[in-house]
Amino acid sequence: MLNIENLLLRLGGNDILKNIDLSVESGEVVSLIGPSGTGKTSLLRCINLLEAPYAGRMTFENDTYDFSKISQRDKLRLRRQTAMVFQQYNLFKNKTVLENVMEAQVLVQKKSKQAAYDESLDQLEKVGLRNKLDSYPARLSGGQQQRVSIARALAVHPSVILFDEPTSALDPELVGEVLHTIRDVAKSGMTILLVTHEMRFAKDISDRVIFMDNGQVEEQGTPEDIFNRSQNPRTRQFLSQFYTPNFEI
Ligand SMILES: Nc1ncnc2c1ncn2[C@@H]1O[C@H](COP(=O)(O)OP(=O)(O)OP(=O)(O)O)[C@@H](O)[C@H]1O
Ligand SMILES: [Mg+2]
């Protein structure tokens, strides 16, 4: 469904992503883990062309893109097929929950207001927020805001959802409800690429885990391969910080 070859990204004169190869199958849940500053967010941003790699190729659904020759039309097409969920939710503060979920459907997808309304109700029901339609984001908890942003992502029926550390801005007691919602999304068969520091969750939910280090894919495999059997010293060193006497991945 998604296949990237030889992606190179340079920002501010530095090579941020170096020769990235990555593929995601339809319906697959793939987690990206790795140290801070390693390029995980940048990689997600390349997939919907929020960043412009200077070389590489990507096949998405049945279209092939040459990163060095991206047109405005390519950008629009790709952004219609992808949805991103950010650490900081990125909801419009001056719009209600319902308006936030309807926005892209009406403005980008050109759906009728009625169709967008019906779809929004459906998605908000799924994330358990059908009763908050008229609330403004400031009146919601962080967990609720993140669930609105997940409903907004689902409402455009993307081919893939890109999650960038969706729980790291949340108070610990609110993390569970968001992980629960993401698990439901995964169960529905959605293709997911997830950047996370929640190792136990990544192990549990993923079909495949990719460990990135220093702008490169260092190792990838099943959750067992990475969390239990990795022989790669960098992977092992990264994971060791998540082991404590009372917590085993
Ligand atoms: N606009 C920019 N100009 C120059 N360097 C940048 C820019 N944006 C990001 N970087 C650098 O790119 C590298 C990768 O950043 P990125 O945000 O992708 O890392 P990350 O793996 O998502 O980290 P974290 O886990 O902290 O979110 C970092 O070294 C960062 O400083
Ligand atoms: Mg990041």
Side-chain angles (χ1 to χ4, degrees), residues 1 4 19 37 51 56 90 100 112 114 126-127 143 153 158 166-167 173 182 191 196 204-205 216 218 221:
M1 193 223 95
I4 291 176
N19 285 307
E51 299 291 356
N90 290 18
N100 265 285
S112 72
Q114 185 62 49
K126 282 192 199 153
V127 302
T167 58
E173 72 271 21
I182 297 172
T191 309
T196 186
D204 213 38
I205 196 179
Q216 290 173 306
E218 181 71 27

Side-chain angles (χ1 to χ4, degrees), residues 11-12 16 34-43 51 165 197:
L11 293 173
I16 304 296
S36 181
T38 237
K40 304 178 300 295
T41 296
S42 302
L43 179 55
E51 299 291 356
E165 297 195 35
H197 284 121

Side-chain angles (χ1 to χ4, degrees), residues 214-227:
N214 196 22
Q216 290 173 306
V217 172
E218 181 71 27
E219 188 182 11
Q220 58 176 304
T222 63
E224 284 275 301
D225 291 338
I226 300 295
F227 292 110

Side-chain angles (χ1 to χ4, degrees), residues 197-199 237-244 247-249:
H197 284 121
E198 297 278 342
M199 293 302 140
Q237 196 221 339
F238 172 73
L239 290 175
S240 68
Q241 67 184 295
F242 296 95
Y243 288 94
T244 67
F247 172 63
E248 204 173 288
I249 295 169

Side-chain angles (χ1 to χ4, degrees), residues 91-105:
L91 297 175
F92 294 110
K93 295 190 172 20
N94 58 342
K95 292 188 191 297
T96 64
V97 164
L98 179 63
E99 288 164 349
N100 265 285
V101 181
M102 284 178 64
E103 174 94 1
Q105 298 179 67

